[in-house]
Amino acid sequence: MSVACIEARRAGETIAQLTDVASLDHPESDSHITIFTDKTGVVKAARLLLSSVTKVLVLADKIVIKQIITSRNKVLATMEQLEKVSSFQEFVQIFSQFGNEMVEFAHLTGDRQNDLKDEKKKARMAASRAVLEKCTMMLLTASKTCLRHPDCESARINKDGVFHRMRLALEQVIEIVTDSRPNGENEMAPISIYSGIKEFKNKVEGLRENLYFLSKENLSTMLEVILEHTEDFTDSAYTSHEHREHILELSKQAKMELEQLVSVWMQAQNQKTKDLMEDLEVAILKTCQCMNELKREVHGAATSLAADLLKYHTDHMVLKALKITGVEGNLEAVAEYTCKLSEQKEQLVEMCRLLRHVSGTEPLEITCIHAEDTFQVTGPQIISAAETLALHPSSKIAKENLEVFCEAWESQLSDMSLLLREINDVFEGRRGEKRVYLSLPRPGKHNANLKALKPVKLDTEEQAKIAKLGLELHLLTSDVDSETEKWEDQENEIVQHGQGMSSMAYSMYLFTRGEGLLKTTQDLFHQAEIFATEGTKLASALHALSEQVHHDEKPLLLLEAEKLISMCKQLQIAAKASAQGKSATFTKVDACILKTRNVMTLLCQLLPLCCKLLRKSKAGNDCLKPAPPWKEDRIQTGTNARTPERRVDTFGIKSLENHVTNMTFLESK
């Protein structure tokens, strides 16, 4: 790394020397000044700079991966020690070390998650880190229960399940960061009905442009695969009779429409007459319409089932009954309610499978798969924890252990409600795929004493006061989303920053409703800081754009960029300001949301302005000056990490550190 940095510095210095105007004698000829006296040298130095900077980036990536692997190995080694401990005193010491190692692993993987460009990998990483967060607390209580009741088989099964799940999550994190699979096997992602229909429609509509780019067998096979997946709905015991009948009818209709399409298509290949091409267009439209109706029907079947199940299980009656009968030591009643919980688990697992088919995006598909795995694993763990409590009804540790697993189940049910809302939003086109970004503080940065923080929750009355601001913020995020969708180049740096800021603002809006991942005011303040940082990055992108636009447009862009920088600085100051007491905290919350709203208002004006300039350029109105190729490469390299600080930091670092701090009380308990 040191050698690569030295090479990059030398290349930069060489370019600086070759292009230094002050070192020239400024010979004037026809009012022109010759600057690049050695063009070959400049080109050579520029190439060397690009190659050396690339080497620095590659080395940095390898170093980060090595750090994560090393951190994972430390965690695994300590986990092995935790499995073998036989005394509370030894457990306390080792768990304290384990907690510190998990905090380090959380920060490293959180940073890596933010750097990932692949949304699918980002979602998988978030799921793995969520498992590790929940399992850390489970590991604590399950291990304590096993130590207190060493001869209890159900307690041992409960603990082994937690350790096994943590190891799988750690392994998945390494697979993601190293982009590898065990034994070199390829990852076979399950195909959803939505993605199958989307691909099928694209192929069908492609016939308008080219009649020969695929065979009729390909189309027939694609439809067969889609209809096979609809059997997940028609064979499900939880699908209503009405939905089942409609799905079967539409499946039959889809086959007929495809047969008609293939017939006209084959005729059009032999003879391209006007009538045949019109018939082909009609067949294409009818086939696509049928597939849209099928998509709508399976979506309705999945979401209505999910809504009914989530509503039915909101009271958590089975969990409450297990806690009560466990404390009573009533083994027969516990056995009865564990059967009911198993039935509930099967219902929820089926719900997740059906929702995956209609999720609409790959990240949401992965979230559904993660939810399915969570219900599959947590259900049996609750049962073993309840059996342990029933065998030892006076054990406070066994009771605490059951509480922790029940809380994980309830938390997953709550997450499913949010997931269902996202799936419906994507289907109805109200919003694109939305993320809630949460950035937790890092030790040594932002806050010197992390454990001293005591987040304050707003009560109902105070949340009502900021509801109006939150609603305005919500409307602005919708406006920003609408503006970004108008851009032809969705990978444009300005669009990326705009979408990231909109997503963060949406998470702040959810906070005003008491929803989302921003649970406390402290979370909100951290999110506001990251939002302001993202706004500053957008301002830098605007400055880069202003260097390329026509002189008449440049002052306006620079003015807007300076406004944005000023607003973001004000927001950062407000978010970092100290607030003691409930009243001061509420004032700070109000200020952060208000300033975020102001930034979003400006963003709504900026996006169409930039889009207009770029469109003018494409239309040949000479709004933009072409930038030299080396400058484009340099900009692209510099903004490689342009993805917003997407801190989907569901890893509970603060709560984990609190667990580590409180471990000193274990022995007395």
Side-chain angles (χ1 to χ4, degrees):
M1 174 64 83
S2 178
V3 170
C5 290
I6 290 171
E7 286 179 4
R9 189 179 297 113
R10 284 176 180 168
E13 289 171 353
T14 302
I15 293 176
Q17 290 170 5
L18 291 170
T19 59
D20 186 8
V21 182
S23 65
L24 300 173
D25 296 332
H26 299 285
E28 294 193 10
S29 174
D30 299 330
S31 300
H32 291 287
I33 299 176
T34 304
I35 297 176
F36 299 108
T37 54
D38 185 1
K39 291 184 180 179
T40 305
V42 171
V43 171
K44 185 178 179 181
R47 286 175 177 167
L48 179 60
L49 179 62
L50 285 173
S51 64
S52 56
V53 168
T54 302
K55 189 186 294 185
V56 169
L57 293 172
V58 171
L59 283 168
D61 193 61
K62 288 182 178 179
I63 290 168
V64 170
I65 292 172
K66 188 174 181 180
Q67 285 177 330
I68 292 174
I69 293 173
T70 303
S71 178
R72 187 278 309 257
N73 292 340
K74 284 183 187 177
V75 170
L76 283 176
T78 310
M79 280 176 64
E80 288 182 10
Q81 294 178 0
L82 281 173
E83 278 187 294
K84 298 173 183 175
V85 296
S86 56
S87 68
F88 268 101
Q89 184 177 3
E90 186 183 4
F91 177 77
V92 169
Q93 293 172 349
I94 297 175
F95 191 85
S96 296
Q97 176 189 341
F98 172 75
N100 291 328
E101 290 169 355
M102 285 298 291
V103 170
E104 178 192 1
F105 188 74
H107 288 312
L108 289 171
T109 53
D111 290 341
R112 186 66 178 179
Q113 182 178 325
N114 298 331
D115 292 336
L116 289 171
K117 301 295 183 292
D118 188 332
E119 289 296 328
K120 193 174 177 182
K121 287 183 179 178
K122 196 185 288 283
R124 287 180 63 212
M125 178 73 89
S128 299
R129 295 177 75 242
V131 169
L132 291 172
E133 175 205 348
K134 291 178 181 178
C135 283
T136 300
M137 188 57 183
M138 293 175 181
L139 184 144
L140 173 60
T141 57
S143 298
K144 284 164 60 180
T145 305
C146 219
L147 285 170
R148 181 56 56 88
H149 309 289
D151 299 326
C152 183
E153 180 67 14
S154 57
R156 185 191 61 77
I157 292 172
N158 185 257
K159 186 188 83 168
D160 290 347
V162 177
F163 275 93
H164 178 67
R165 196 171 185 216
M166 286 195 77
R167 286 194 174 97
L168 288 178
L170 288 166
E171 198 58 42
Q172 180 163 318
V173 169
I174 299 305
E175 287 174 15
I176 295 166
V177 298
T178 58
D179 202 17
S180 63
R181 300 285 294 174
N183 304 322
E185 62 186 27
N186 293 325
E187 181 188 8
M188 296 298 292
I191 300 173
S192 69
I193 291 177
Y194 262 31
S195 58
I197 288 177
K198 183 179 179 180
E199 186 180 356
F200 177 78
K201 283 174 58 183
N202 286 339
K203 297 291 186 184
V204 169
E205 290 172 345
L207 294 175
R208 294 187 178 111
E209 305 297 330
N210 188 343
L211 295 173
Y212 307 96
F213 80 105
L214 81 164
S215 65
K216 63 179 182 181
E217 289 77 16
N218 284 345
L219 272 185
S220 299
T221 302
M222 290 175 71
L223 182 61
E224 284 176 13
V225 171
I226 294 169
L227 298 184
E228 279 178 14
H229 286 309
T230 61
E231 292 175 5
D232 290 345
F233 287 82
T234 55
D235 294 347
S236 173
Y238 307 109
T239 302
S240 69
H241 176 72
E242 183 182 354
H243 281 302
R244 184 180 290 108
E245 289 298 315
H246 286 168
I247 292 170
L248 290 172
E249 287 174 11
L250 288 168
S251 298
K252 185 178 179 181
Q253 184 183 340
K255 290 180 181 178
M256 294 171 57
E257 296 295 354
L258 181 60
E259 287 177 7
Q260 178 63 25
L261 172 64
V262 169
S263 174
V264 178
W265 173 24
M266 293 299 105
Q267 293 178 46
Q269 282 185 341
N270 297 326
Q271 188 179 5
K272 281 190 178 181
T273 65
K274 184 179 179 182
D275 290 342
L276 278 174
M277 294 309 293
E278 287 177 355
D279 291 343
L280 178 63
E281 179 64 23
V282 171
I284 289 172
L285 291 173
K286 290 178 73 174
T287 303
C288 290
Q289 182 182 355
C290 182
M291 298 310 293
N292 286 336
E293 290 175 3
L294 179 62
K295 183 171 76 169
R296 189 178 297 108
E297 193 63 37
V298 294
H299 177 272
T303 54
S304 61
L305 169 65
D308 291 343
L309 282 177
L310 292 174
K311 184 178 180 181
Y312 182 73
H313 295 308
T314 48
D315 54 6
H316 308 299
M317 290 303 297
V318 175
L319 299 182
K320 291 174 183 176
L322 278 173
K323 294 174 190 176
I324 294 170
T325 53
V327 170
E328 292 172 349
N330 190 337
L331 288 169
E332 289 184 6
V334 166
E336 179 186 344
Y337 285 112
T338 54
C339 288
K340 291 184 178 180
L341 183 67
S342 296
E343 291 175 9
Q344 187 181 130
K345 182 203 74 175
E346 291 303 319
Q347 292 174 352
L348 294 171
V349 165
E350 184 75 4
M351 174 191 75
C352 293
R353 287 173 183 164
L354 298 184
L355 282 177
R356 179 183 63 78
H357 277 301
V358 302
S359 53
T361 67
E362 282 191 332
L364 289 180
E365 276 186 45
I366 290 168
T367 307
C368 291
I369 294 169
H370 165 65
E372 179 185 339
D373 292 341
T374 300
F375 286 124
Q376 284 278 30
V377 174
T378 311
Q381 286 179 321
I382 291 175
I383 291 171
S384 60
E387 290 172 349
T388 303
L389 179 58
L391 292 169
H392 307 278
S394 61
S395 173
K396 291 183 179 179
I397 289 180
K399 183 181 179 182
E400 178 191 7
N401 188 45
L402 179 58
E403 287 280 356
V404 167
F405 283 97
C406 287
E407 284 175 10
W409 183 275
E410 292 169 9
S411 172
Q412 189 58 53
L413 277 175
S414 177
D415 290 345
M416 289 307 298
S417 297
L418 292 173
L419 176 61
L420 179 60
R421 191 174 304 166
E422 278 196 74
I423 289 172
N424 281 326
D425 285 349
V426 170
F427 178 77
E428 293 169 14
R430 289 197 298 261
R431 297 190 64 79
E433 173 195 344
K434 269 293 162 194
R435 285 288 187 281
V436 180
Y437 303 110
L438 173 61
S439 175
L440 295 176
R442 297 187 57 176
K445 294 185 179 182
H446 310 303
N447 294 285
N449 188 3
L450 184 63
K451 294 172 189 173
L453 289 174
K454 293 184 178 179
V456 178
K457 283 196 174 184
L458 299 181
D459 59 31
T460 308
E461 183 181 348
E462 288 170 333
Q463 284 193 2
K465 289 181 181 178
I466 62 171
K468 183 182 176 183
L469 267 180
L471 181 59
E472 292 175 1
L473 202 57
H474 184 206
L475 295 173
L476 285 168
T477 59
S478 298
D479 292 341
V480 169
D481 289 345
S482 299
E483 290 299 333
T484 55
E485 286 169 6
K486 295 175 184 176
W487 288 60
E488 295 177 2
D489 181 13
Q490 288 294 308
E491 295 300 316
N492 186 284
E493 187 180 359
I494 294 172
V495 174
Q496 293 280 327
H497 288 311
Q499 289 173 340
M501 292 172 72
S502 176
S503 296
M504 292 183 221
Y506 186 66
S507 71
M508 296 169 80
Y509 152 70
L510 288 178
F511 174 85
T512 66
R513 294 180 46 150
E515 300 171 356
L517 291 181
L518 303 181
K519 303 296 184 186
T520 66
T521 55
Q522 198 61 42
D523 294 338
L524 178 75
F525 301 149
H526 293 315
Q527 185 72 97
E529 287 186 48
I530 300 302
F531 177 87
T533 303
E534 194 62 26
T536 306
K537 291 180 181 178
L538 175 59
S540 299
L542 294 176
H543 274 287
L545 179 62
S546 70
E547 293 296 324
Q548 303 174 46
V549 302
H550 194 271
H551 289 300
D552 294 340
E553 308 283 1
K554 185 173 181 178
L556 178 60
L557 258 185
L558 289 175
L559 180 64
E560 296 298 323
E562 290 305 315
K563 278 186 191 176
L564 182 60
I565 291 172
S566 175
M567 287 181 174
C568 290
K569 284 181 179 177
Q570 291 175 19
L571 177 56
Q572 282 183 326
I573 292 169
K576 291 179 179 179
S578 61
Q580 300 295 329
K582 200 170 184 181
S583 176
T585 301
F586 172 70
T587 303
K588 184 176 175 181
V589 168
D590 187 65
C592 285
I593 296 177
L594 179 63
K595 293 184 185 301
T596 302
R597 185 201 66 180
N598 294 341
V599 174
M600 290 294 291
T601 303
L602 180 60
L603 185 57
C604 287
Q605 301 167 6
L606 277 171
L607 287 170
L609 172 63
C610 297
C611 185
K612 177 184 173 184
L613 291 175
L614 289 174
R615 281 182 176 172
K616 276 187 181 180
S617 173
K618 278 198 170 184
N621 289 340
D622 197 28
C623 280
L624 299 181
K625 298 181 293 187
W630 67 269
K631 186 171 183 180
E632 288 179 355
D633 290 343
R634 187 174 176 185
I635 291 172
Q636 199 166 2
T637 305
T639 56
N640 230 358
R642 69 176 178 235
T643 306
E645 296 276 336
R646 298 186 174 183
R647 305 274 183 171
V648 193
D649 220 326
T650 53
F651 214 136
I653 298 169
K654 288 184 284 188
S655 58
L656 176 57
E657 290 182 338
N658 287 333
H659 299 330
V660 175
T661 306
N662 294 332
M663 282 303 298
T664 54
F665 298 105
L666 258 179
E667 284 186 278
S668 60
K669 289 184 178 179

